Amino acid sequence: FNFVPPKGIELSRLPGRRADAIAHYRAAIALKPDYWEAHFNLGLALAAEPDGTAEAIRHFETVLRLQPDCAPAREMLEQLVAD
C-alpha cells in the first residue's frame, strides 16, 4: 500500500503553498499514523520552514522507526542534526 496524498505533493510544489501542504500531510498522518511517506513529506516541508527543524527531525525519526532502510530519511535526519 503506497498511498501518497496528491493534494499535499501538488501544494508543496507551488510557491507560497507550503503551509497548505503541511496541513494535508498532517491530515493524512491523523488518518493513518504509520503512513511513513506522509511523515517523510511532512519532514521535508517542515525542514524548509524557518522554525520547523525540530519537528522535521521528529518526523524523519518516525520514518526510520517505520522504514529503517529509508536512506533519504536517514540522510535528511543527519543533515538536520548536523546544522
Side-chain angles (χ1 to χ4, degrees):
F1 179 63
N2 192 14
F3 172 78
V4 176
K7 189 75 167 176
I9 298 225
E10 177 184 320
L11 290 171
S12 68
R13 294 180 180 152
L14 297 174
R17 299 299 302 271
R18 189 179 306 127
D20 294 326
I22 288 171
H24 281 276
Y25 294 134
R26 289 184 201 272
I29 291 167
L31 292 172
K32 190 174 184 326
D34 63 343
Y35 180 19
W36 70 268
E37 294 96 335
H39 283 283
F40 181 80
N41 289 327
L42 180 54
L44 290 176
L46 290 167
E49 291 289 303
D51 60 347
T53 301
E55 189 177 355
I57 287 171
R58 288 192 298 271
H59 285 283
F60 289 124
E61 288 171 339
T62 299
V63 171
L64 291 172
R65 276 195 305 277
L66 297 169
Q67 285 292 120
D69 295 331
C70 184
R74 187 166 310 283
E75 292 166 8
M76 284 300 302
L77 182 59
E78 290 170 358
Q79 179 183 341
L80 290 173
V81 170
D83 287 346

